[in-house]
Structures are given as C-alpha cells and as structure tokens.
Amino acid sequence: MAPAPHMSTKASLLEKYRYRRRLPHLQKADSDLFITFCTAGRRILPEQARDLVLEHCLREGGILPMAGEGARPAHAPRIHLHAVVVMPDHVHLLLRPLRDEDGWPFPLLDILQCLKGTTAHRINRLLRTSGPVWEEESFDHVLRSDESLRAKCEYIRQNPVLPGLVRRCEDYRWLWVNPELNI
C-alpha cells in the first residue's frame, strides 16, 4: 500500500529537522541552546584558525557582516548569539535559532553544518591540509531558564581560565559575550 501523497510531503518537511547521528538532538522553538563541538581527534587549532572560527560565529550571529559584504549583512542572521568561546580543541556556543521568513525556526542541523563546514574548509585552506577538522557529532542542550542562560554564559567565560590559558576571561582573545547579558 502506497502512502497518501500528503504523508510524503509532511515527512519531507520534517526531514530537515532531524539528525541521523548517535546523540539525540532536540530543537525547541524559541529556546536557547548550549552547543559544544570538538576538533577531530582533539587536534589543536592554531591561533589563526581560532580567529577564523570566532569570526564566522560572529558573522553567523549578525555581529559582523558576511565576508565580501558592506556594513550590513546581505541575509538576515539565523541565530541570536549570546556567547561563544573558541578553545584550542573545541567550541562552546550559546545561541537561540531565529525564525525564517515563513515563521519556522532555522534548523540547528543547518546552522551547525554551515558553521562547521565553512570553517573546516577555511581552516584546511589556511593550513594547507585536507580532511575532517571537526568531529561529526555535536553536543547540544536546551536551556530551561534565564538562570541557566547566565550559568552557561559564565561557564563559557571561565572555560579559558580553568585550564590556565589566561588569568582573566577578558584576556582571552577568542571569547565573545553579548553585551545584552550584562555579565
């Protein structure tokens, strides 16, 4: 028995909101997310590579214009970025996916594929290497309250301090916290 035509259309719409990896990835509309992804094999990123990753995160959040654009982005940002830290072998993001012109939340899958794919390509070009830069899997966690948002932001801020990379979080070059958070 063939599925009804409306069933296949609905299923194809939902496809873009599903991950096919080992960890479950849930996206709740209009919720803040704490995301972590690591370099493949916990490879250490040189400073210039970390610059590229931070720059791309800020561009994706509409903080900086996209490459080759003027002062304003050509497309609307897909995320509201709260905080980001690019560590030598992993990245922490605190963000809220925004909605597209039809009112649907931008899928986290698309956001991370773009972010990881673009930065991997640029890092490989910079380092004259090839192959995976990032682990396929990412960890994401839906935040449940404003208190949780502030706690995760503080965790991101302290991430370079705890291993002794800097004495004060303000001294870490690859950390950005949205001034709206007043932390």
Side-chain angles (χ1 to χ4, degrees):
M1 174 187 234
H6 70 279
M7 296 279 288
S8 62
T9 304
K10 194 172 191 178
S12 63
L13 265 177
L14 296 175
E15 285 294 315
K16 70 180 192 174
Y17 294 99
R18 193 170 23 171
Y19 276 95
R20 295 189 179 163
R21 303 271 187 246
R22 288 170 285 154
L23 296 175
H25 298 274
L26 304 173
Q27 182 173 346
K28 185 177 173 187
D30 304 318
S31 291
D32 296 313
L33 299 166
F34 175 70
I35 301 163
T36 301
F37 55 92
C38 300
T39 57
R42 298 306 287 240
R43 166 181 166 189
I44 302 299
L45 295 174
E47 291 184 357
Q48 286 181 301
R50 284 181 258 165
D51 289 339
L52 290 176
V53 176
L54 179 62
E55 176 186 298
H56 189 80
C57 291
L58 295 175
R59 290 183 192 289
E60 190 65 36
I63 312 305
L64 294 176
M66 295 305 259
E69 297 176 357
R72 293 181 178 260
H75 69 84
R78 296 185 297 172
I79 62 171
H80 178 81
L81 188 61
H82 296 296
V84 58
V85 65
V86 182
M87 299 294 287
D89 65 351
H90 66 280
V91 176
H92 292 299
L93 292 161
L94 195 51
L95 60 84
R96 179 183 309 126
L98 299 175
R99 292 178 177 265
D100 66 17
E101 62 277 356
D102 296 323
W104 288 92
F106 286 106
L108 182 58
L109 172 64
D110 294 353
I111 293 165
L112 290 179
Q113 279 181 338
C114 176
L115 194 145
K116 290 167 71 175
T118 301
T119 56
H121 179 75
R122 291 182 68 197
I123 289 168
N124 277 329
R125 189 172 55 212
L126 171 74
L127 302 178
R128 295 184 172 91
T129 59
S130 62
V133 171
W134 306 109
E135 293 286 341
E136 282 188 39
E137 197 65 80
S138 299
F139 170 80
D140 53 84
H141 172 74
V142 176
L143 302 184
R144 292 177 179 84
S145 67
D146 185 51
E147 181 179 312
S148 181
L149 176 69
R150 292 190 182 285
K152 289 296 185 190
C153 185
E154 189 58 27
Y155 175 83
I156 286 174
R157 290 183 41 169
Q158 294 305 317
N159 214 246
V161 176
L162 294 173
L165 298 175
V166 290
R167 292 183 69 191
R168 299 176 324 132
C169 58
E170 296 82 10
D171 297 334
Y172 194 68
R173 168 171 141 194
W174 301 281
L175 169 68
W176 182 84
V177 176
N178 194 322
E180 293 173 0
L181 291 177
N182 297 320
I183 293 179

